[in-house]
Amino acid sequence: MEQVLEQDRLKRLVGEAALAFVTSDSIIGVGTGSTVNCFIDALAESRIQIEAAVSSSEATTERLTRHGIEVVELNQCGDLDLYIDGADECDAHRRLIKGGGGALTREKIVAGASRRFVCIVDESKKVNVLGQFPLPIEVIPMARSMVARKLVALGGQPEWREGFTTDNGNWILDVHHLDLVDPVAMESKINDIPGVVTCGLFARRPADLVVIGSSSGIQQF
Ligand code: 5RP
């Protein structure tokens, strides 16, 4: 219980710290998850007035809108200067596992459209090698079993996130025990399987900066 409270405190700390990267009157990309929710709440309470946000999920759109922050479609904007998002795991090379909340595809799209991706995490997310957190993969529903078999052949143990449908109308496989020592190669291999929409590895396009909320304060690398 105390550990959860401390993690929540660190999420709020890093959510507030992310305000330092936001410029007034800009259009920013906003990720998904409880850490990003802390950032959205801090932004709404701050004096920073952004022009609008591009959202990575229906949940984030709802929260932004509730705070009176305008949400625009990515197709209405050019590239964005800044994308703020959390992660489930990050390594020392700023490579990430994302998708615990199931928003990985839109997150990868908005990250890809952004010149700077600032990833905000609490210290529990930092790992030496990615892969303790099961890797989320968004799949077209009709391909679920076929993709699962290919993932077994790659050494993983896929588990269908039953009852969950993504904002894009697809399903998620959470893959345990994959060898992610070379996450760039594995990201390409998985994305090449027909029926995979995207996988939650952000290694080919890692974060540009990771900001960590830790018990000794804010760290970044
Ligand atoms: C959602 C994500 C989130 O960034 C990730 O799950 C981290 O979430 P939280 O900040 O709640 O720990 O990738 O798809």
Side-chain angles (χ1 to χ4, degrees), residues 17 21 36 49 69 80 93 95-96 121 129 149 186 208:
F21 302 96
V36 166
Q49 289 279 344
I69 298 171
L80 306 172
H93 303 280
R95 301 176 299 200
L96 315 170
V121 290
V129 180
R149 289 194 295 278
M186 189 56 91
D208 299 301

Side-chain angles (χ1 to χ4, degrees), residues 50-61:
I50 59 168
E51 184 182 328
V54 172
S55 167
S56 63
S57 65
E58 300 301 332
T60 288
T61 298

Side-chain angles (χ1 to χ4, degrees), residues 102 104 136-139 159-161 164 166 170-174:
L104 60 161
I137 299 180
E138 181 164 353
V139 297
E159 189 183 343
W160 178 23
R161 204 182 291 181
F164 181 86
T166 70
N170 297 315
W171 290 346
I172 298 280
L173 292 171
D174 293 303

